[in-house]
Amino acid sequence: MLCIKQRTIKREVEIKGIGLHTGEYVSLKLYPANSYDGINFVRNGTVIPAFIDYATGFEFSTTLSKDGINVKTVEHLMAALYFTGIDNLFIEIDAEEVPILDGSAIQFIDRIKEAGIQILSDEKLYAVLKKEIKLKDGDKFITGKPSDGTFITYHAHYNNRIIGNRKYTYSNLKKDFENIALARTYCFLEEVEYLRKNGLAKGGSLDNAVVFEGDNVLNPEGLRFEDEPVKHKLLDLIGDLYLLGFPLIGEIYSFKGGHRLNASFVRRLVKEKAFEVKYSTEIDIFNQGQLVA
């Protein structure tokens, strides 16, 4: 039987930058943790577990809160932790928002790799979907169903020539996560005034976001891939799904979903007990050698 172990990092690492929405300079420190500690943010002495019960805000990002203390825009870092297989970590932050860096997750992944990945002695746990769940909000929806592997699809549908009607699937049967991790956040120029009036995007620039004006990309370097926007929405979805507390095994399909729908879907999975938490040695697909750990 294949026994996959839990992971943390080998040493402390610091990441600095500005918050996309607050515009505040922030220092983030990642610290190793023990088995079963889980992923936890620490701000002003308050420990906020990276778990769906603490997700409170979804306006253009995902916010975690506890005892009146907030940590905003956690989704890119959460996706980076998912992709690097980190189960246990303490994240100390000295401001309200996780730094946006270049607008993707790749720089978080690079720093995690620099810190080194520590394999712990205890076996890794997974959330294995055991029944089908569908959540709808107008024309937007997310479905989840049992599967012999992890398949997460995002389907974007925009009246825009560049983004258009596209979908992309992440599967950990193939190791293409860095392709997704490079995809940057984006917005439309006409949204910027709304965001600024509502106290958002104070730290936004062409250095950390792709900006569209109609069918044109304003960033001088253009897109990293022609389907970069849909890959970024998939990145956000993966980060939000990791608020389940465990990596997910199942098939997820999101049509036009955003952070609020993502969080509602994760809550539904928990409420309806739609998954079983299992060790790697209890999961057939690992023992058949089908799944990339």
Side-chain angles (χ1 to χ4, degrees), residues 3-202:
C3 180
I4 300 164
K5 300 295 183 74
Q6 295 183 39
R7 295 181 178 187
T8 187
I9 56 175
K10 288 184 177 178
R11 62 176 178 83
E12 171 192 337
V13 63
E14 184 174 21
I15 303 170
K16 295 181 178 181
I18 63 167
L20 174 63
H21 295 299
T22 63
E24 295 178 1
Y25 186 78
V26 56
S27 171
L28 193 75
K29 292 182 179 178
L30 311 183
Y31 293 95
N34 296 318
S35 296
Y36 304 109
D37 280 342
I39 297 166
N40 298 275
F41 288 86
V42 183
R43 181 173 174 233
N44 294 344
T46 298
V47 178
I48 308 173
F51 186 65
I52 192 61
D53 288 358
Y54 299 91
T56 58
F58 314 102
E59 189 75 7
F60 295 96
S61 67
T62 297
T63 297
L64 300 177
S65 304
K66 182 182 174 186
D67 299 335
I69 303 296
N70 298 324
V71 178
K72 298 180 176 180
T73 316
V74 302
E75 59 273 10
H76 301 169
L77 176 55
M78 290 300 298
L81 297 175
Y82 174 89
F83 286 139
T84 51
I86 300 296
D87 308 276
N88 306 288
L89 194 71
F90 287 100
I91 306 161
E92 188 177 73
I93 185 168
D94 67 357
E96 191 176 38
E97 187 176 20
V98 173
I100 190 62
L101 303 181
D102 72 343
S104 77
I106 196 65
Q107 291 181 354
F108 289 118
I109 289 174
D110 289 343
R111 297 309 305 277
I112 290 165
K113 288 181 175 179
E114 285 175 26
I117 294 174
Q118 178 68 47
I119 306 299
L120 300 170
S121 58
D122 293 284
E123 192 173 354
K124 192 177 183 84
L125 291 161
Y126 293 82
V128 181
L129 284 187
K130 62 181 183 179
K131 65 179 181 179
E132 187 167 350
I133 296 289
K134 183 170 184 177
L135 187 63
K136 193 172 182 182
D137 179 14
D139 66 338
K140 304 173 183 178
F141 67 86
I142 302 181
T143 61
K145 60 183 180 181
S147 175
D148 290 335
T150 297
F151 303 91
I152 305 174
T153 299
Y154 189 89
H155 188 162
H157 193 281
Y158 283 83
N159 185 23
N160 177 279
R161 182 179 57 81
I162 299 175
I163 304 175
N165 182 4
R166 296 177 185 265
K167 59 184 175 181
Y168 192 83
T169 299
Y170 165 76
S171 165
N172 56 359
L173 297 175
K174 57 181 182 178
K175 298 189 73 173
D176 70 343
F177 71 84
E178 289 188 350
N179 192 21
I180 299 164
L182 279 162
R184 297 162 294 174
T185 192
Y186 65 91
C187 70
F188 294 91
L189 186 62
E190 57 266 30
E191 292 178 317
V192 173
E193 184 177 355
Y194 168 83
L195 291 168
R196 295 277 167 83
K197 281 183 177 179
N198 286 272
L200 301 170
K202 294 178 181 177

